[in-house]
Amino acid sequence: LLALAGFAVLSGALLLALGVSVGLVLLLVAISPLLLLKLFKVVWIPVAFGWMLLRSLWIRFEAPWGYRLDKHEAPALQAEVERLRRQTGAPRLHGIIINRELNAAAATVPRALGLFGHRHYLVLGLPLMQALDPQQFASVIAHEFGHFGGGHGRFGGWVYRVRASWDRVLAQLQARRSWTSGAFVRFFRWYAPYFNAYSFVLARNQEYEADAMAARVAGARVAGEALIRVNLGSERLSQDFWPGLQRRDAVEAAPPMLMYRDMADSLRQPHEDDARRLQRMLARPAGHDDTHPTLAQRLSALAVAPALVPPPARSFAEAYLGELLPRLEQDFSEQWRRQVELDWRESHRLHAVDTKRLAELEAMEVRDAQATVEHARLSEALVPGVDALALYRQALAQAPADPFVHYRLGVLMLEAGNAAGVAHLRRAISLDAQCRESALQHLSWYYRERGDAAGQDEIAMEWQQMQDARLRGHHARNELGAKDAFLAHDLDADTLAELRGVLDVQGSVSQAWLARKALPGDDGGVPHYVLLVAWRGMFYSEDARLKKLVDAIELPGTFIVFAGSRQYRAVARRLRKAVGDPVYRK
């Protein structure tokens, strides 16, 4: 009933709009056909409203990202997937996609918000294929096929997909800016969590049922081994591989060529901390907002005793990808290299600068507050095994209002299980709003590890408030409206001279007025400027002129350029009134 209620709201709004139009037509025809012609605009209003509703809800859902196999690639993999699909009774696939994640997923793409069914994709992560042996990964595929309905029935599978659809609908509606989509955002903000409160219970049951499907296909012991390997692999990547890779930029000027092969080698090696990590994962409490049961709960349901699982002698990727494996490793590694290369090289350069600066700080007999904070930061980053907590406590004594010191103290204390870290992170947020997102993530992790549901709820509420403020700021920076408030720009003479030089070179502007726009709430402190231009001469396309100006102008913040024509005449009048004389005249 809850699932149907969401669809009822969407279809009901459309039917109401169209029904009002049809009713008006019938009423006016009954009174006088001539009256219908005279009041045609009135009849058209609800039709236009219905069209606006359709446009606000017309959301295109893309297929999952990754490398999509064609029908002739990796025939051994496709044959194994088809064997498992038939064995689990899952529906036909629209595609098999391989991505760069240590994960696998049963992905559904809704047609018309799910009203006309879904397209099914099996998403397989290359790192996961390299971390598991063929039997373990077969259990993973069987688990994902269980989510398509083979494990928990057509209705359960439908609810599973509907829940994912509402999340995507809400996210995309929030990115839009119209009164129609705004009304649906308000509804779904109430409806989606309410629906989740019921469907999360079903979702956790579905995970058990999907695990049971994996056990029926591959055996309970193999399914349990796969769960342990997946969870340990995730811990190994976050705690060992990625931090180790980040440290390599200190000595290597360029990122590695085959990072995804390095990742596979790392996942295939045993680690001395694996036993400790497994015990910590088994002790992790369940959260009320989790869509998955804990590792301990899932192993218990499978009746499998938790134990370390040796790395595979031969991975699923080696057994089933064939000649595609080295190509994917190279392609994914090259994609990653392109994404990180500039930052990597800059980090390598900064590491040399920081090393030199740390040596200078070490040589100082007495350090002021700023130098003490800098010494603590650089020591933590550059000196293996340093007691960073002691250094930050020393820094706090000299710089009690430094947000970075409070932030690092809070993080380190929470990682050590010290609840006093909460107060330090709260203090850091109050001193510098820029650290809010990261601090909230650490607080959420801490409350989750403790099983503190009230703390998690508090952080979730703050996170939503932060996202709402960002969304308002995003819209404020990309739109002009009747309620905008304009302030003096406060730019220095050099920046204004550069702007005037650009406008001179462009030659299409006769006058320009510059203002700083007042932004709502916590918007990060980055200024946003509004430049109003008046054109000179004839032109074919105003949009082309505006784009050319935007590409040429540089200002210390974000900015928008507009001409006071058409719907922006009132905004232009208000801006000119607020700032007075133009900053540029031809």
Side-chain angles (χ1 to χ4, degrees):
L1 290 176
L2 279 172
L4 292 174
F7 290 114
V9 168
L10 303 183
S11 57
L14 294 173
L15 290 174
L16 177 64
L18 296 176
V20 169
S21 294
V22 172
L24 281 174
V25 169
L26 294 177
L27 178 63
L28 294 174
V29 167
I31 296 173
S32 168
L34 185 60
L35 187 60
L36 173 63
L37 294 177
K38 291 182 178 180
L39 298 179
F40 181 75
K41 289 185 178 180
V42 176
V43 176
W44 181 251
I45 289 174
V47 174
F49 171 72
W51 173 246
M52 291 177 69
L53 287 180
L54 278 174
R55 290 195 61 183
S56 69
L57 293 169
W58 189 257
I59 297 171
R60 181 181 178 85
F61 293 103
E62 301 292 341
W65 176 90
Y67 181 88
R68 183 170 179 177
L69 295 179
D70 70 31
K71 61 182 180 180
H72 301 299
E73 281 188 302
L77 170 62
Q78 301 213 44
E80 176 70 353
V81 168
E82 179 61 17
R83 178 185 74 82
L84 293 167
R85 187 192 71 80
R86 290 178 180 275
Q87 193 170 349
T88 57
R92 288 188 176 277
L93 294 175
H94 284 77
I96 300 173
I97 294 172
I98 301 176
N99 67 15
R100 304 183 303 189
E101 306 297 324
L102 184 78
N103 200 5
T108 59
V109 178
R111 294 189 180 109
L113 307 183
L115 289 169
F116 300 117
H118 298 75
R119 294 189 296 272
H120 306 294
Y121 296 89
L122 181 63
V123 183
L124 307 176
L126 180 63
L128 188 59
M129 298 168 77
Q130 294 171 310
L132 303 181
D133 68 25
Q135 293 75 30
Q136 292 164 355
F137 199 80
S139 77
V140 171
I141 296 175
H143 173 100
E144 299 306 333
F145 277 145
H147 283 311
F148 281 138
H152 40 69
R154 292 179 61 85
F155 175 73
W158 179 73
V159 172
Y160 180 91
R161 294 188 292 268
V162 166
R163 178 169 52 80
S165 298
W166 291 141
D167 290 340
R168 298 181 71 178
V169 168
L170 178 59
Q172 296 204 35
L173 285 176
Q174 285 178 318
R176 300 191 175 178
R177 189 71 163 175
S178 71
W179 68 272
T180 49
S181 62
F184 285 109
V185 166
R186 286 190 291 274
F187 166 73
F188 281 120
R189 277 192 177 173
W190 167 83
Y191 171 80
Y194 191 64
F195 182 70
N196 287 344
Y198 283 82
S199 66
F200 276 11
V201 181
L202 177 62
R204 288 187 285 271
N205 287 335
Q206 289 171 344
E207 291 299 328
Y208 288 126
E209 292 166 352
D211 283 346
M213 173 65 76
R216 286 197 295 273
V217 171
R221 180 186 59 81
V222 172
E225 290 177 349
L227 288 173
I228 292 171
R229 290 283 299 163
V230 170
N231 281 270
L232 274 179
S234 178
E235 294 279 312
R236 292 269 298 275
L237 288 184
S238 64
Q239 297 178 16
D240 298 329
F241 181 77
W242 291 118
L245 187 65
Q246 189 173 12
R247 288 191 294 269
R248 287 173 63 176
D249 65 18
V251 294
E252 300 176 21
M257 297 296 295
L258 285 173
M259 190 274 288
Y260 278 90
R261 185 170 298 173
D262 295 343
M263 181 186 292
D265 292 340
S266 174
L267 291 170
R268 294 271 292 274
Q269 297 298 320
H271 195 281
E272 59 184 8
D273 287 338
D274 282 350
R276 177 182 58 82
R277 286 171 177 158
L278 177 58
Q279 291 305 313
R280 189 177 64 208
M281 288 186 294
L282 292 171
R284 188 167 292 161
H288 66 276
D289 59 347
D290 290 334
T291 57
H292 287 59
T294 66
L295 175 61
Q297 290 171 330
R298 296 174 75 176
L299 292 176
S300 176
L302 290 170
V304 173
L308 286 179
V309 182
R314 188 176 188 226
S315 72
F316 181 90
E318 292 169 323
Y320 285 95
L321 286 181
E323 62 184 18
L324 183 60
L325 174 57
R327 181 150 60 89
L328 286 176
E329 287 179 335
Q330 184 171 354
D331 290 348
F332 287 169
S333 296
E334 184 58 34
Q335 292 170 15
W336 173 80
R337 274 176 60 87
R338 287 196 297 268
Q339 290 172 350
V340 306
E341 189 160 18
L342 290 178
D343 289 339
W344 182 288
R345 294 185 183 278
E346 178 63 11
S347 181
H348 179 75
R349 184 189 69 81
L350 290 176
H351 184 273
V353 174
D354 288 345
T355 301
K356 180 181 178 181
R357 177 57 179 162
L358 179 59
E360 294 172 353
L361 292 168
E362 293 279 6
M364 292 180 180
E365 294 184 5
V366 179
R367 304 186 192 101
D368 61 15
Q370 182 178 352
T372 303
V373 174
E374 187 179 13
H375 178 262
R377 177 182 67 82
L378 293 177
S379 297
E380 182 188 18
L382 302 176
V383 181
V386 70
D387 186 356
L389 198 57
L391 291 176
Y392 284 117
R393 283 188 172 126
Q394 294 172 10
L396 183 65
Q398 290 186 252
D402 188 288
F404 178 76
V405 173
H406 282 285
Y407 172 78
R408 289 307 303 161
L409 272 173
V411 170
L412 293 171
M413 286 180 174
L414 292 188
E415 289 177 349
N418 186 345
V422 173
H424 284 289
L425 286 180
R426 289 295 183 189
R427 178 65 172 152
I429 293 173
S430 69
L431 292 169
D432 183 5
Q434 294 297 301
C435 72
R436 178 184 298 274
E437 179 173 354
S438 181
L440 290 179
Q441 288 174 339
H442 285 286
L443 288 169
S444 178
W445 170 85
Y446 174 70
Y447 289 131
R448 179 185 176 86
E449 290 294 303
R450 292 182 61 197
D452 187 340
Q456 286 183 269
D457 284 345
E458 180 184 358
I459 299 303
M461 184 177 298
E462 290 186 58
W463 186 269
Q464 185 61 58
Q465 291 170 351
M466 181 184 69
Q467 295 300 323
D468 289 346
R470 284 187 175 176
L471 189 63
R472 289 193 299 270
H474 171 78
H475 289 312
R477 290 176 187 271
N478 288 276
E479 297 173 355
L480 293 169
K483 297 182 179 180
D484 290 344
F486 299 109
L487 312 170
H489 57 73
D490 293 335
L491 293 178
D492 58 42
D494 291 340
T495 304
L496 286 178
E498 291 179 10
L499 174 62
R500 292 181 182 116
V502 169
L503 296 176
D504 261 334
V505 170
Q506 294 300 309
S508 58
V509 177
S510 62
Q511 294 184 93
W513 294 261
L514 181 65
R516 183 166 54 88
K517 183 176 177 178
L519 298 174
D522 175 17
D523 196 62
V526 178
H528 181 66
Y529 299 99
V530 180
L531 183 68
L532 167 64
V533 296
W535 303 119
R536 62 192 299 267
M538 302 292 290
F539 57 88
Y540 173 71
S541 170
E542 184 172 85
D543 289 342
R545 279 195 169 191
L546 288 171
K547 184 180 185 306
K548 191 175 180 181
L549 277 179
V550 169
D551 291 341
I553 291 171
E554 290 186 12
L555 291 174
T558 60
F559 66 91
I560 189 170
V561 182
F562 80 108
S565 55
R566 296 194 296 273
Q567 70 267 36
Y568 297 120
R569 287 194 180 95
V571 178
R573 284 196 299 269
R574 295 181 67 247
L575 188 148
R576 285 193 294 263
K577 182 178 180 181
V579 302
D581 295 333
V583 296
Y584 171 81
R585 284 192 177 91
K586 181 66 177 176

